[in-house]
Amino acid sequence: MKRKVLFAVIALGTAINLNAQDLKTKDVPQVVKTALANKYPEAKKVGWEKEKGNYEANWGGKSGEDNSVVFTPAGQFVEIVKAIKISELPKSVAPYVAANYKGAKIKEAGRVTDAAGKTLYEAEIKGGDLIFDENGKFIKKD
């Protein structure tokens, strides 16, 4: 029994690390750091994570995560998420959350802009992020 519990704990820990892994700046490829500096020269005190094979840079605000930008290992821009006030989400988001996630409260919100310039919205609730299009139509849960 102890072996099964130990295996489960190790498997869970590994799964969590596969999702997001904090990195030291020295462990981020130079091409990625250069891409960040060129695209967002205002980025200071950057924290790094590796998520789903890409590199995520976080900076700004009290939490250090007002801006979150993702680059591929080759330094190609994927998307940026800028923290916004919950009240800045499209008007249909809060009613959708209330109707489909009973008792859930939106903890944080973000405006996502991808490499093509497409805008999405992210509403964080306990258990994940809900993604909406620019008009507030639900797309998926991350």
Side-chain angles (χ1 to χ4, degrees):
M1 180 66 172
K2 285 183 183 179
R3 258 185 136 163
K4 286 182 181 180
V5 170
L6 179 61
F7 178 74
V9 169
I10 290 170
L12 179 61
T14 301
I16 290 169
N17 283 337
L18 289 177
N19 278 343
Q21 178 183 9
D22 288 339
L23 296 174
K24 294 181 180 179
T25 302
K26 68 177 182 70
D27 297 327
V28 177
Q30 187 58 47
V31 67
V32 174
K33 292 185 280 193
T34 300
L36 174 68
N38 288 340
K39 190 157 181 74
Y40 300 101
E42 73 278 10
K44 304 291 184 224
K45 296 182 182 177
V46 176
W48 290 96
E49 294 178 18
K50 190 165 186 185
E51 188 170 331
K52 299 178 184 174
N54 290 322
Y55 293 88
E56 181 179 316
N58 299 291
W59 75 93
K62 291 179 184 177
S63 70
E65 294 188 355
D66 275 5
N67 298 285
S68 177
V69 65
V70 178
F71 292 94
T72 68
Q76 292 180 300
F77 172 75
V78 176
E79 69 181 17
I80 185 167
V81 180
K82 290 186 172 258
I84 61 173
K85 295 177 184 175
I86 294 169
S87 62
E88 294 179 56
L89 288 167
K91 299 296 179 208
S92 60
V93 172
Y96 178 88
V97 172
N100 293 281
Y101 296 90
K102 301 289 184 219
K105 296 204 184 290
I106 300 172
K107 297 186 224 176
E108 293 181 3
R111 182 179 297 110
V112 182
T113 306
D114 68 14
K118 183 177 178 181
T119 299
L120 300 173
Y121 289 91
E122 190 175 89
E124 182 183 324
I125 62 169
K126 184 178 179 179
D129 292 330
L130 304 178
I131 310 299
F132 298 85
D133 71 11
E134 65 275 4
N135 298 313
K137 181 180 176 197
F138 176 75
I139 296 174
K140 66 179 181 174
K141 182 178 179 185
D142 259 354

